[in-house]
């Protein structure tokens, strides 16, 4: 609209123009974002039984988003300074946003999935079922594997009958069956985690094509909603489930006779069962694990500032 020429004629330097434009865009975003994060922090910090809340994590996420906004402010100003009409500037800016925030993440997801695909739910269930069939079913005393286990235990204890064992063989067999199933599940879940790890490497390799990707991964990690935290919690929960099942089967085996399915543990038994506790990864560990995303976001920030400053000199 010719205002830049008018401002230059009044002796305005390039640096003052840049700072004025930049802070005019940045300050409203900063104030709104800071207010929203502060409000969210106060609400979450005062909720009873919310879970794990940490002001340091919230502040880290705030910095991630502020850096992300800075990058797009720099890109918008760069586009605006190189185009002669506001309509063209708007269209170009929207195009960059669509490519960076919609097309690039979708393309990265498709590339990672095509290189290292996850099995479908049906394939996963079928693979687990096939492996479970090849081992001991703790609830089927007539299977081949159960009979082999029975013979091994009788030979080990030097007795001729399951009734002569110093424990309830039914509980012992169920525990051995649980151990087999646990191995099967660990095998297939470890394959999923391996695929996730490979996909993550692909994502990190493609994160340079858009600032959206490293900001997204950092935000998810700090908020404990990323896959790494999911697997960490799932492993802890599965370990507790296995320990609980072992506790129950051993109690049944040690305190009942063979064939005594009416056995019930007393109330005091449950006092010996540990309570499930889970501590999510600490912020330091999260940042260390996402150092590459932090580096890529930092490069985007420095590069966008560098291009903007270089461009101002050429106006």
């Amino acid at each position: 609209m010719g205002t830049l020429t008018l401002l230059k004629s009044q002796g305005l330097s390039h640096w003052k123009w840049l700072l004025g434009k930049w802070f005019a865009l940045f300050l409203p975003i900063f104030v709104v974002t800071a207010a929203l994060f502060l409000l969210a922090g106060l609400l979450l910090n005062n909720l009873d039984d919310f879970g794990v809340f940490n002001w340091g994590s919230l502040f880290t996420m705030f910095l991630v988003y502020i850096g992300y906004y800075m990058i797009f402010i720099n890109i918008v100003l760069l586009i605006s300074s190189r185009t002669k009409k506001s309509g063209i500037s708007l269209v170009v800016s929207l195009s960059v946003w669509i490519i960076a925030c919609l097309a690039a993440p979708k393309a990265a997801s498709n590339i990672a999935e095509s290189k290292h695909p996850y099995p479908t739910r049906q394939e996963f269930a079928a693979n687990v079922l096939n492996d479970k069939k090849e081992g001991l079913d703790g609830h089927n005393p007539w299977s081949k594997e159960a009979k082999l286990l029975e013979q091994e235990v009788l030979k080990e204890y030097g007795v001729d009958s399951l009734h002569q064992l110093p424990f309830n063989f039914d509980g012992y067999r169920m525990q051995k069956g649980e151990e087999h199933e646990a191995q099967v599940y660990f095998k297939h879940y470890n394959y999923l985690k391996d695929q996730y790890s490979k996909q993550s490497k692909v994502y990190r390799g493609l994160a340079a094509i858009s600032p959206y990707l490293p900001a997204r991964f950092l935000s998810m990690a700090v908020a404990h909603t990323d896959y790494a935290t999911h697997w960490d919690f799932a492993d802890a929960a599965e370990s507790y489930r296995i320990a609980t099942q072992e506790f129950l089967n051993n109690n049944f085996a040690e305190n009942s006779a063979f064939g005594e399915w009416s056995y019930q543990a007393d109330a005091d038994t449950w006092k010996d069962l540990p309570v499930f506790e889970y501590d999510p990864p600490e912020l330091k560990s999260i940042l260390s694990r996402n150092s590459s995303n932090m580096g890529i976001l930092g490069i985007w920030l420095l590069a966008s500032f560098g291009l903007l400053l270089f461009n101002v000199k050429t106006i």
Side-chain angles (χ1 to χ4, degrees):
M1 298 175 68
T3 55
L4 183 59
T5 302
L6 179 62
L7 291 172
K8 285 182 177 180
S9 67
Q10 296 176 348
L12 180 70
S13 67
H14 293 307
W15 297 110
K16 286 184 177 181
W17 171 84
L18 174 63
L19 290 175
K21 285 283 188 179
W22 196 88
F23 278 105
L25 292 175
F26 175 73
L27 286 179
I29 294 175
F30 178 84
V31 171
V32 171
T33 305
L36 290 175
F37 269 79
L38 180 61
L39 178 61
L42 292 174
L43 289 174
L44 296 176
N45 192 46
N46 288 282
L47 286 178
D48 295 332
D49 299 325
F50 168 73
V52 179
F53 175 75
N54 184 282
W55 280 103
S57 296
L58 187 69
F59 181 69
T60 301
M61 188 183 293
F62 171 75
L63 294 180
V64 169
Y65 278 101
I66 288 299
Y68 175 72
Y69 296 146
M70 284 181 177
I71 293 170
F72 274 95
I73 289 173
N74 294 341
I75 293 174
V76 166
L77 284 178
L78 182 63
I79 294 172
S80 178
S81 66
R82 304 308 299 182
T83 52
K84 297 185 179 297
K85 293 184 178 181
S86 59
I88 296 176
S89 176
L90 176 62
V91 171
V92 175
S93 296
L94 285 175
S95 299
V96 170
W97 177 80
I98 290 172
I99 293 172
C101 299
L102 297 179
K106 182 62 177 176
S109 176
N110 290 340
I111 293 173
E113 178 65 23
S114 63
K115 283 182 172 292
H116 309 288
Y118 285 119
T120 65
R121 182 184 294 272
Q122 293 77 10
E123 290 173 341
F124 181 83
N127 293 335
V128 169
L129 183 60
N130 289 334
D131 283 354
K132 285 172 64 175
K133 288 180 178 178
E134 294 179 359
L136 175 65
D137 182 355
H139 298 279
N140 182 8
W142 310 110
S143 67
K144 176 183 176 182
E145 290 76 13
K147 291 299 181 182
L148 289 174
L149 177 65
E150 179 180 324
Q151 294 173 8
E152 291 176 1
V153 172
L154 291 175
K155 182 178 179 180
E156 179 181 354
Y157 283 85
V159 295
D160 300 325
S161 171
L162 296 177
H163 294 277
Q164 298 174 349
L165 291 173
F167 53 85
N168 188 338
F169 181 75
D170 289 326
Y172 180 84
R173 185 187 62 248
M174 288 191 294
Q175 176 55 30
K176 290 300 181 180
E178 285 292 333
E179 293 174 3
H180 166 66
E181 290 190 9
Q183 290 178 352
V184 171
Y185 279 110
F186 273 125
K187 169 188 173 182
H188 290 281
Y189 275 112
N190 284 336
Y191 174 75
L192 293 182
K193 287 193 286 186
D194 185 57
Q195 292 298 94
Y196 157 73
S197 178
K198 292 177 180 178
Q199 286 191 8
S200 296
K201 290 181 181 179
V202 175
Y203 275 126
R204 286 195 292 270
L206 297 173
I209 65 177
S210 169
Y212 176 89
L213 291 173
R216 174 192 176 190
F217 297 144
L218 280 169
S219 175
M220 291 173 64
V222 173
H224 296 147
T225 57
D226 61 331
Y227 274 109
T229 307
H230 163 75
W231 288 123
D232 188 59
F233 174 80
D235 288 344
E238 178 63 10
S239 296
Y240 181 78
R241 187 198 70 80
I242 292 172
T244 301
Q245 198 66 44
E246 183 179 7
F247 173 83
L248 296 175
N249 287 332
N250 288 342
N251 178 270
F252 178 58
E254 294 169 2
N255 296 282
S256 65
F258 180 68
E260 186 185 350
W261 291 102
S262 60
Y263 167 78
Q264 293 182 349
D266 56 36
D268 292 336
T269 301
W270 304 102
K271 297 179 181 179
D272 297 329
L273 181 64
V275 177
F276 175 70
E277 294 181 357
Y278 174 72
D279 294 320
E282 296 182 355
L283 179 60
K284 183 178 180 181
S285 174
I286 292 172
L287 296 180
S288 175
R289 194 169 57 205
N290 286 271
S291 58
S292 61
N293 289 320
M294 293 174 59
I296 292 172
L297 194 65
I299 291 173
W300 267 101
L301 190 61
L302 293 175
S304 63
F305 269 117
L307 288 174
L308 183 62
L309 295 176
F310 175 80
N311 181 70
V312 169
K313 298 179 180 180
T314 63
I315 297 177

